[in-house]
Amino acid sequence: MRLLNRLNQYQRLWQPSDGAPQETTIAVLAARCFCSDRHMRTLLRQAQEAGWLRWEARSGRGKRGMLTFLISPVTLRNEMMEQALNKGQQHNALELAQLAPVELRALLHPFLGGQWQNNTPTLRIPYYRPLEPLHPGFLSGRAEQHLAEQVFSGLTRFSQDSTQPQGDLAHHWEVSDDGLCWQFYIRSTLYWHNGDAVTTGQLQARLQMLLTLPALRRLFASVSRIEMTHAQCLTFILDRPDYWLAHRLASYCSVLAHPEHPAVGTGPFCLKIFEPELVRLENHERYHLPHPLLKAIEYWITPQLFEQDLGTSCRHPVQIAIGDPEELSQLRLVSNSISLGFCYLALRQSERLTRPQAQRVIDLIHRTALLQTLPLDEGLITPSHELLPGWAIPQGSAHNDTPLPSTLTLLYHLPVELHTMAQQLKAAMAALGCELTLIFYDAKNWEGCTDLTRVDIIMGDRLIGESAEYTLEQWLRCDPLWPALLSDEHFSQLKATLDQVQRHPDAPQRSAALERVFATLMSQAILTPLFNYHYRVSAPPGVNGIRLNTRGWFDFCSAWLPASIR
């Protein structure tokens, strides 16, 4: 705050003449800076010693002296920011950057993207909102999900090169013939971010803590107990086979923090700063897998940069460097893909909304131009034609003229594109004689939503992780949507079906069985996907090794900066 005060005082001195020399008195300058004459003399002396200005006093009470400026406030701000960053004082740098969006964009440009600071390769990412705490269990934001996997490790993990889980804290595992006993063999050289050695007992304790969370208890419903059968072995005893178990343990919701220090993990990066305006990660030097090539990652929380009138957004694409509009052309698109995740529409069938009527709502979406004409940024979304690649959406009738109810209620949550979708659907249904009442739930998931059980139609966003089929199984098993949407009998049948699916030891058979579950939900007009997002990562020249993952982010471990980058 002291640096910002000094800069503000300097700007007050500068502004009346816009930097031209001033013939003035100490009393006038003191009034301008809201301080005493004595303090003003101290400020002038300090600024002169720093080389910012020159003050030539003249003897005699009330005599005017000559004030000459040697540096502009903009240049001074840049120098202060650079000095703060070189000293590792990121908070001071962000404090100095409290400007209007256009000015802030130009000012931060030299410091964002890839930089070597004090021989430390650092990647700085501007982000449009504060990150939520990395609490155990399910997280609603994809940025938080990605961050959890960079800070913490699980017994198993997903790799970008395989949909099947790989070893992480456990170097391998064995499964009994009946599928009821899973033994995970723990690596012998593991260290927490605080430097302490990891013990198998700590991992057991943390897993047992996770199983006290209601959502994770549902996820691991087949696990009867977890035993430490050897100093380097954890054994999961199941009461029914679950061949998704290694997938469940690889999910971000099952990563393991220290049982006594929830912010301490064993992942490739450790949390050094986690505050509303700055999140800083640093390389974990005793990481048990290949080490990251970057020393530090910083999220600079700068929502001013993403105001709509600037033509930029970080709601979905991840852009890790920014500049003036003419400088944006220097960025190169290093990775892009269509998200496997999708926004969806779910329908509660009842006396108010029959299956034929629900199917007509779905036909209105997929068999008209409604999705193709949504007034959204070009290239942001693409209408869904499949639930997952190869999982086709059942074709309805082009001539479904079933009358709709006179009134229905639609509930939806973030992302913001669903605002537009809700308004378009309301207009389209009004043309068919149905008044659609809209209810917005300001969140990214359905936790704590009391309206779920009383509405007819629901829209939301389903993020997909590294293993798409498993993520959808987890969605059916754990999301509050399904017990609220389906009748008790129907949801009990669904859970029983999922228990049968998880018994297949063969992955293709398990996937095919799960596909049939979703095909049934779609054919019964209970669920339909709406659209997928275009994920993009753009980077300035010199930032290398970036590859988009399924959450629209990139693995921080693979990014690198050449030593010559400035």
Side-chain angles (χ1 to χ4, degrees), residues 440-452:
F440 172 58
Y441 183 57
D442 191 7
K444 297 177 183 177
N445 58 31
W446 297 119
E447 291 294 335
C449 182
T450 57
D451 290 319
L452 270 178

Side-chain angles (χ1 to χ4, degrees), residues 153 157 168 266-268 283-292 557:
S153 306
R157 68 185 182 96
D168 195 348
T266 57
N283 188 320
H284 177 30
E285 295 180 354
R286 306 186 81 170
Y287 183 49
H288 53 280
L289 294 176
H291 281 219
C557 292

Side-chain angles (χ1 to χ4, degrees), residues 295-306:
K295 176 63 177 176
I297 307 283
E298 291 178 356
Y299 294 76
W300 284 24
I301 312 303
T302 49
Q304 313 96 300
L305 290 173
F306 302 100

Side-chain angles (χ1 to χ4, degrees), residues 127-129 142-143 306-308 312-319 376-377 380 414-417 420 444 461 533-535 551 553:
Y127 206 58
Y128 75 105
R129 63 170 174 84
R142 61 187 181 88
F306 302 100
E307 291 190 359
Q308 292 298 314
T312 61
S313 171
C314 201
R315 290 183 309 233
H316 305 290
V318 179
Q319 187 174 3
L376 297 172
D377 294 343
L380 179 62
L414 294 169
V416 295
E417 285 71 32
T420 304
K444 297 177 183 177
D461 186 20
Y533 286 107
H534 289 264
Y535 285 154
R551 290 191 179 89
W553 281 84

